[in-house]
Each structure stands twice: as structure tokens, then as C-alpha cells.
Amino acid sequence: MPLFPKSLLAGAAILSAGLAAPAFAACRNVSHLGEDYLACSFDPAASDIRVYNKDQAGVPFKSFKALSLELRHRDEYLVFAMNGGMYHEDLSPVGLHIEEGLEQAPLNTNPGWGNFHLLPNGVFYVGEGKAGVMAAEAYRAAGIKLRFATQSGPMLVIDGALHPRFLPDSDSLKTRNGVGVTTQGQVVFAVSKRPVRFHDFATLFRDALDCPNALFLDGTISSLYAPEINRHDRLFPLGPIIAVVARFPR
């Protein structure tokens, strides 16, 4: 007799009762250039993808748990979450941050030190039923209105080309996470299981995950929340958080 995860059995029971089934993250293991990654995919037309930073009192969430607790008060729950971009010491976003159509931090294309300023950096955004990744200057020129957005950097893949500063023999190895959008419009979040170089992480999105545009979110602190695979990272305080949210079945 085949064995199924308890979460899937619960979903089947809900369906048999005529209620809406809870949503699940479509996560899978991906091997690329001798390294292993976890990739989780979502259809933005069917999944509610959002960006968060602070709670209703204006205090940074800092953790997936805190965000989950606030969502429960709205009869919602976290399907999936990932740290969603770089932040200052007070956990506020370094670059563009939009929640429910309101710009809470402006686009940042200033030169400077660190990965965020390894230009071009970029924006992950969510509109009505669609999502995308684009370089920051392209976003500025587009003048589009969005529901959610977060800025990070550097861009990993830009219209099918790797970021020009990435070296295939770099000795800078970090645990890394990022987000891309496939040629079919699917959003793919990925995190490395071991330290990897930028070049290899970028080719993962372009060559293995079919993402012509992809954005680096962060390194080392790379954190993931995916309950059906028993993943709930808690090691670091978080700034911006990208979350997939659903309503509790009624």
C-alpha cells in the first residue's frame, strides 16, 4: 500500500467533504553542475504571491513565524515563504518595496559596496495574475503599476544572458537563494543546499529552470518556509519576505 504525506491525506479529506483544498508548494530537488538545489514553483495566476516587511504596528516581522501569526488573524495561512531581498540594520528594505500597490521604499540604483550594488540589480514584481523579474533601470523605464515588488541584487540572468560580472572559476562560495520567472510565466524560487558561486547559481535558473530573467535575493541567510517538506528556517532575522498566501477552507 503506498504511503502519502499526512498533509496530502488531509487535503484529500477536505476535497471529499466538498470544501476547497489547502494550497501546497510544488517543491523539488534539482541537480546542476554537481550541486543540489531546492526549487519551488508557483503559477501567479492561481497563487497569491505577496511581499511583506512590517506588521500592522509598523514593526518588522523578522521571522516566518511572526508573519504566519498575523495572517492567521485574517483567516489566512502561509503556503510558502522565502527571505525576499536585502535590508538595512533596522530590517527595512535597501531598495524598492511595494505592498498592496503602495510604495514603501523607492527604487535604488545608486552605486555602492556589496551584492545589492553589483549593477544591474533588479526587481521581482507581482501584478494581477502575473509576475516578473526585470533589471532596475528597465523597471524605472516601464512605469508600470504593481501590487507587490521587492528589489535586490545582482540580477542573475538578464534576458537570457548571465550577469557580466560572474566568473565561472570564482572562489566566492555562499549558500544562495533567488527567484526567476520561466518562459511559461511560472515563478520559481530556488535555494542552494551547499555554498555555490554566482555563476553556477545563475546558470541553474537559465539552463535548468528555464528562467530568462532571475534575481539574486541573498546569500548565507537564505531562508525558506515550506511546511509540507518540514522546512522552517529560523537562524536569521529577516527583512523583506516573499510569501505565498492562501485562505483557510471554510
Side-chain angles (χ1 to χ4, degrees):
M1 178 180 179
L3 298 178
F4 298 95
K6 291 182 178 179
S7 58
L8 295 183
L9 291 175
I14 290 171
L15 283 174
S16 67
L19 301 175
F24 300 103
C27 296
R28 63 195 187 279
N29 293 310
V30 179
S31 294
H32 177 67
L33 298 180
E35 294 292 344
D36 293 325
Y37 301 84
L38 182 67
C40 301
S41 301
F42 296 90
D43 179 354
S47 301
D48 190 353
I49 305 173
R50 306 177 186 177
V51 176
Y52 290 99
N53 181 229
K54 297 178 180 179
D55 63 20
Q56 292 182 332
V59 178
F61 283 108
K62 298 183 181 179
S63 69
F64 300 133
K65 180 179 180 180
L67 174 57
S68 179
L69 290 174
E70 179 159 305
L71 289 172
R72 289 182 187 179
H73 292 300
R74 310 177 202 168
D75 290 328
E76 297 176 324
Y77 66 96
L78 271 182
V79 176
F80 171 89
M82 176 177 274
N83 58 299
M86 297 173 191
Y87 49 87
H88 297 292
E89 289 186 7
D90 64 357
L91 303 182
S92 63
V94 172
L96 180 72
H97 189 88
I98 296 175
E99 293 186 28
E100 294 293 2
L102 298 177
E103 184 179 292
Q104 300 184 359
L107 192 72
N108 182 346
T109 56
N110 299 327
W113 178 87
N115 288 330
F116 182 90
H117 298 285
L118 189 61
L119 303 180
N121 56 30
V123 174
F124 167 70
Y125 64 88
V126 180
E128 293 301 324
K130 62 180 181 179
V133 170
M134 66 171 64
E137 291 294 357
Y139 167 81
R140 189 198 302 277
I144 54 179
K145 299 295 183 181
L146 303 171
R147 186 181 177 209
F148 293 98
T150 183
Q151 184 182 4
S152 191
M155 286 285 287
L156 296 169
V157 188
I158 311 156
D159 296 331
L162 301 188
H163 192 289
R165 298 282 297 277
F166 295 166
L167 302 174
D169 58 352
S170 171
D171 60 1
S172 176
L173 303 176
K174 303 284 186 181
T175 302
R176 304 184 191 275
N177 69 297
V179 59
V181 177
T182 73
T183 55
Q184 300 301 313
Q186 300 291 300
V187 178
V188 184
F189 300 94
V191 60
S192 64
K193 295 189 178 182
R194 297 197 312 168
V196 297
R197 56 178 60 89
F198 265 131
H199 179 274
D200 295 355
F201 194 48
T203 60
L204 167 79
F205 277 97
R206 186 188 65 180
D207 302 339
L209 300 178
D210 186 33
C211 294
N213 288 281
L215 178 66
F216 177 65
L217 292 174
D218 215 332
T220 304
I221 72 157
S222 302
S223 300
L224 190 69
Y225 176 84
E228 74 272 22
I229 59 171
N230 296 317
R231 180 83 179 254
H232 185 177
D233 298 336
R234 304 176 177 88
L235 290 179
F236 302 98
L238 305 176
I241 297 172
I242 302 173
V244 180
V245 178
R247 295 195 64 81
F248 281 112
R250 293 180 179 275

